[in-house]
Amino acid sequence: MTSLGLPKAISGNFASVFSLTTADGTVRHAVKCFTRYVPDQDDRYRVISKHLSGLPASHLSQPWNMGFDYLADEILVGGERYPILKMEWVQGQNLASWLNHHHRDSTRVGQLAERFEALVGDLHTHGIAHGDLQHGNLLVAPDLSFRLVDYDGMYVPALDGRRATEDGHRNYQSPLRGAGDFGPDMDRFSTWVIHAALTAVAADPRLWADLHEPSGEYLLLSEDDYKAPSTSPRFVRLLSHPNPDIAESARRIADLVAAPMNAIPHLLNREVGTATGTQQKSAASAATPPGTGLPDWLRDHIPSTAPASEAPLRPLGPGFHHRRRIRDLLVLPVLLLSVVVPVLVLLGVLSLDIIAAGIPAAAGAVLFSSARRSRPEYRELTQQMRGLKRRKWEAEHPEAAAERLDRERDAFEASERKRASKADRAGRDTTRAHQQKLAKIESDKQKRERELRAQLTRLDDELAADLAKRLKRHQQSYVDGQLQHALIAKAKIPGIGPALRDALAVHGVLTAADFRGITLVKTGGSYNSVTAYIDLAYGGRA
């Protein structure tokens, strides 16, 4: 009961739920009263109850299946009978409330993620889809098992071919979901969103405080984030997170928001490379090429380059393999000159000493060597020779080569940790700046709303005063018009005889509109007499 002694309700989109305890206090029920009419509600609940009651407890990972009775004519309101749903009362917290209290306990949050996977597996195995998987419909019991409530939009195989009665909580649904998406796969987007939030908080509890607003109707991501993943600060924070599993989960959800409902993979489907938990880690490891040391999420964001020692060797034959340059063309005349000059000196045609004759030859040799070393073919050949020598050395010294690779890997990992830490700080700063900006916008909005409300109040007061003033004038005008037709001579008022009527007429008082009132003035004398003055409508007294 409420403090006023009225039944306390937990209200949702289609119904209100009350806690009802039997008179002896031994049994507690949840009584659901529907607030919206659904044409085939009786039949749907009958089919759902039959399917769920046929699930053996031994075939379920946890007791998530809540028993209920659909009573078609149980409650009397205003002379008409309406249906109710009588259910077991569950002791537990909804998922968001549970995370508020336990998000710092990574072990328990991780266990809850595994329980959620098991719940999803149960639903998939038995051809069931809840239709509105969200934090309010997932109750966490003290033993970390789930209780699934609110079966209004549930799908079971016997309902195949019908349309959905609801679209589910928008913070957990694909932007592309519609009433026609009613079937065993309609929970897939929700399961990705919830599982990603649980695993992310288990890996980094700070994400709950950073991305979840108090009393927010979502976990880490909301409908606004799904509509614009590229500009969403929450997505940016998750995509840039140093933990590769968190970043990969966020990237996958960002891809799924634009995917058709029938193209969204199942959370536990190994065939499409979307395994979860340890299976996901194994898949990621298998997808990483041996020797690269890079996970999938990182290889997608950096250029794919092999070490120099692993580069394929391209055979280089004699001659030019690249276009000749101007420098190559200038070398030819210098070479000719370096050969012709010494020959002419030896033949006696030129009278130069040996040293002077050797200068052109030396200059030609230097120029030729320089041009040769600057050719791309020479550099490629030199690089290949270094690679071959390095391979030879690694083959002869495997332990030293392994140590060198370990040092390179350690240096890379240290650099990556530094980059990830910087990205994490940048993500937090971006989120904090965004939240501060939103807070400033909200503060300005509230201030503006207060100003507008005050302005509206002033305008309402002014309008009311003006209307009252105009109404008063209109009333006075109407009364004056009526009084002008009320002749005193025709009025049958006790105490007003012909003499008094004639006396009033002398002073111009013929109707009730010719005077405004009476003023009584005490006069002197032994009898303390009173004189009555008639206040004339146009001024003066009589």
Side-chain angles (χ1 to χ4, degrees):
M1 310 292 276
T2 66
S3 57
L4 299 177
L6 299 174
K8 184 177 181 180
I10 304 172
S11 297
N13 190 26
F14 287 88
S16 292
V17 178
F18 300 87
S19 171
L20 187 69
T21 305
T22 55
D24 58 5
T26 58
V27 182
R28 191 178 183 187
H29 298 288
V31 176
K32 186 171 190 175
C33 300
F34 299 95
T35 57
R36 188 176 299 181
Y37 174 69
V38 178
D40 57 349
Q41 182 172 262
D42 295 19
D43 185 49
R44 283 178 181 261
Y45 267 109
R46 179 183 57 78
V47 171
I48 293 171
S49 176
K50 181 179 180 181
H51 189 85
L52 295 183
S53 61
L55 299 179
S58 60
H59 292 183
L60 302 179
S61 63
Q62 54 205 294
W64 57 263
N65 181 9
M66 304 307 302
F68 66 88
D69 292 319
Y70 181 82
L71 308 176
D73 299 311
E74 186 67 14
I75 187 170
L76 183 67
V77 181
E80 292 188 38
R81 291 201 169 269
Y82 296 91
I84 69 166
L85 205 66
K86 174 183 158 188
M87 303 171 289
E88 304 173 34
W89 183 266
V90 182
Q91 286 298 124
Q93 294 177 289
N94 73 58
L95 181 55
S97 177
W98 189 90
L99 285 172
N100 273 333
H101 293 89
H102 303 286
H103 64 273
R104 295 181 183 87
D105 192 340
S106 295
T107 301
R108 298 188 73 193
V109 177
Q111 292 172 349
L112 196 64
E114 294 176 359
R115 289 296 182 93
F116 180 72
E117 289 182 32
L119 169 61
V120 173
D122 287 348
L123 296 175
H124 179 66
T125 299
H126 298 285
I128 302 171
H130 182 270
D132 189 19
L133 277 184
Q134 44 113 334
H135 66 273
N137 292 332
L138 288 166
L139 303 185
V140 183
D143 62 352
L144 291 187
S145 61
F146 279 104
R147 302 294 185 273
L148 195 56
V149 299
D150 189 0
Y151 300 160
D152 291 349
M154 179 172 280
Y155 170 89
V156 295
L159 295 177
D160 191 38
R162 304 196 191 192
R163 293 178 65 82
T165 58
E166 58 176 294
D167 292 335
H169 200 304
R170 299 314 302 168
N171 288 338
Y172 293 83
Q173 299 299 326
S174 165
L176 302 181
R177 180 181 172 181
D181 297 309
F182 184 66
D185 301 328
M186 62 179 174
D187 289 338
R188 289 189 175 186
F189 187 86
S190 305
T191 59
W192 281 109
V193 169
I194 296 170
H195 184 264
L198 289 173
T199 54
V201 173
D204 184 357
R206 295 173 302 174
L207 291 174
W208 182 255
D210 292 346
L211 302 185
H212 178 81
E213 296 178 3
S215 302
E217 288 295 308
Y218 64 94
L219 296 180
L220 299 184
L221 297 171
S222 68
E223 180 183 13
D224 292 338
D225 300 311
Y226 309 144
K227 290 180 178 178
S230 60
T231 58
S232 162
R234 294 190 184 98
F235 260 120
V236 171
R237 174 70 188 283
L238 294 173
L239 290 168
S240 62
H241 199 279
N243 186 306
D245 293 333
I246 295 176
E248 175 63 19
S249 294
R251 183 196 62 76
R252 183 178 290 110
I253 294 176
D255 292 339
L256 293 179
V257 298
M261 291 290 293
N262 58 4
I264 298 177
H266 192 273
L267 181 67
L268 306 179
N269 191 346
R270 297 189 182 96
E271 295 178 0
V272 294
T274 57
T276 58
T278 56
Q279 300 162 358
Q280 183 179 11
K281 295 178 181 178
S282 300
S285 300
T288 303
T292 63
L294 301 179
D296 282 343
W297 69 272
L298 182 58
R299 289 190 294 110
D300 292 340
H301 293 82
I302 64 174
S304 177
T305 56
S309 60
E310 301 294 335
L313 298 180
R314 182 169 63 87
L316 297 176
F320 291 99
H321 300 280
H322 296 275
R323 189 173 58 182
R324 290 180 174 82
R325 303 164 301 174
I326 296 177
R327 181 189 301 181
D328 300 325
L329 299 177
L330 293 177
V331 170
L332 183 59
V334 174
L335 286 176
L336 292 174
L337 184 63
S338 65
V339 174
V340 170
V341 170
V343 171
L344 294 177
V345 170
L346 292 175
L347 295 176
V349 177
L350 293 177
S351 57
L352 296 173
D353 56 22
I354 297 300
I355 296 177
I359 291 176
V366 171
L367 184 60
F368 176 75
S369 176
S370 174
R372 178 173 176 272
R373 289 177 177 275
S374 67
R375 286 293 302 172
E377 293 86 354
Y378 183 85
R379 290 197 298 269
E380 291 177 5
L381 183 60
T382 302
Q383 185 176 1
Q384 291 188 8
M385 289 297 296
R386 289 174 180 170
L388 290 172
K389 290 179 180 179
R390 183 176 182 177
R391 293 184 187 183
K392 181 175 179 294
W393 181 85
E394 290 175 350
E396 294 174 349
H397 307 83
E399 295 181 357
E403 291 178 0
R404 181 182 58 78
L405 288 175
D406 288 340
R407 289 194 300 271
E408 291 179 357
R409 183 194 60 197
D410 293 342
F412 171 78
E413 290 179 351
S415 174
E416 176 56 24
R417 284 194 297 271
K418 183 177 180 181
R419 183 207 66 80
S421 176
K422 182 178 179 181
D424 191 28
R425 287 195 302 271
R428 289 198 300 271
D429 293 343
T430 300
T431 302
R432 190 179 302 109
H434 177 69
Q435 292 175 340
Q436 292 173 351
K437 185 177 180 180
L438 289 178
K440 178 67 166 54
I441 292 173
E442 182 64 22
S443 175
D444 293 344
K445 184 189 75 172
Q446 293 178 357
K447 180 180 179 182
R448 181 58 178 162
E449 287 178 349
R450 289 194 296 270
E451 293 174 350
L452 290 174
R453 281 195 295 269
Q455 186 176 354
L456 286 173
T457 301
R458 289 195 301 270
L459 291 174
D460 288 341
D461 293 342
E462 293 174 2
L463 178 61
D466 184 63
L467 288 174
K469 185 177 179 181
R470 290 172 181 268
L471 178 61
K472 186 176 181 181
R473 288 201 304 265
H474 181 70
Q475 290 173 333
Q476 187 62 49
S477 175
Y478 177 80
V479 170
D480 290 343
Q482 295 297 317
L483 294 179
Q484 287 174 2
H485 295 86
L487 295 174
I488 295 176
K490 294 183 178 180
K492 297 179 179 181
I493 302 175
I496 299 180
L500 183 54
R501 289 199 298 269
D502 293 342
L504 289 172
V506 170
H507 292 282
V509 181
L510 301 176
T511 69
D514 295 330
F515 69 96
R516 295 301 184 196
I518 301 295
T519 301
L520 302 178
V521 178
K522 291 183 179 182
T523 57
S526 57
Y527 297 103
N528 193 24
S529 61
V530 176
T531 301
Y533 289 92
I534 298 175
D535 299 321
L536 302 177
Y538 303 104
R541 289 178 171 182

